[in-house]
Amino acid sequence: MTESRSAAEIYQAFLDAVGETIAQRDFAGYSRYYLFPNRLITVQKTLLIETEADLERLFRSMCHTLELKTVAAPSRACSSAEFAEDGRTIHGAHTTWLVNATEEIRQSYKARSTLRLCDDGAWRLSASQYEDSGGILPNQVVSMTDDIPGQKPDDD
């Protein structure tokens, strides 16, 4: 199967679709965009998300944190994306902004993600790495998920 869209177009469409599931607080829709196991790396720790139950705990924590910040959903923009040699993997980077109802930017942070083209034709996330430190959303969310197995603190 040859993809006619650019890696950046696919990556941005993926970000938009996942963002919509977050805005709707739709876990079933959200989970369709993930491969298992899935690796999430922050400056605090690395999570290996092995099951849909693990992902749901992470999703619920993220939604709760967004609600505390009065943010419906993250706004994200692809800054770069390229196909790997296999043509079934995209390595991309994006910036996320958390904007509240009065359009005040509450936070912004950068991430890199890997998407894989599955046999059903869907692009799914296999790994994400968040580059910024401090009180950003990914760090806050993973700090609330100590019950997910496969975690390890990051040693720098």
Side-chain angles (χ1 to χ4, degrees):
M1 175 170 133
T2 303
E3 181 64 60
S4 62
R5 297 178 296 166
S6 72
E9 289 171 322
I10 294 166
Y11 193 87
Q12 185 62 55
F14 178 89
L15 295 174
D16 294 344
V18 171
E20 184 59 31
T21 67
I22 295 168
Q24 299 299 318
R25 304 301 192 254
D26 175 13
F27 176 71
Y30 183 82
S31 67
R32 285 193 292 267
Y33 291 100
Y34 283 76
L35 285 175
F36 299 102
N38 192 293
R39 188 172 309 280
L40 187 152
I41 302 166
T42 71
V43 296
Q44 291 178 330
K45 62 177 100 172
T46 297
L47 291 180
L48 183 60
I49 303 162
E50 297 185 275
T51 68
E52 196 165 295
D54 293 342
L55 182 64
E56 185 168 13
R57 283 193 293 278
L58 192 67
F59 178 80
R60 300 288 174 220
S61 295
M62 175 183 55
C63 291
H64 175 72
T65 303
L66 289 171
E67 288 165 9
L68 291 175
K69 295 179 180 301
T70 66
V71 173
S75 297
R76 299 183 288 180
C78 172
S79 52
S80 67
E82 60 185 40
F83 287 107
E85 282 187 26
D86 66 7
R88 298 179 62 84
T89 303
I90 294 175
H91 299 290
H94 63 278
T95 301
T96 298
W97 295 272
L98 302 182
V99 182
N100 66 13
T102 60
E103 299 188 9
E104 173 188 4
I105 296 176
R106 305 287 297 195
Q107 286 184 5
S108 68
Y109 52 89
K110 296 180 185 303
R112 292 177 295 180
S113 295
T114 300
L115 306 182
R116 301 215 189 275
L117 181 60
C118 297
D119 291 340
D120 65 359
W123 288 94
R124 293 192 174 89
L125 182 71
S126 65
S128 293
Q129 181 172 1
Y130 297 90
E131 300 175 353
D132 295 306
S133 61
I136 64 167
L137 179 70
N139 288 335
Q140 293 167 333
V141 170
V142 299
S143 71
M144 297 165 54
T145 57
D146 289 335
D147 58 337
I148 295 177
Q151 296 187 55
K152 65 178 185 70
D154 287 338
D155 298 320
D156 289 334

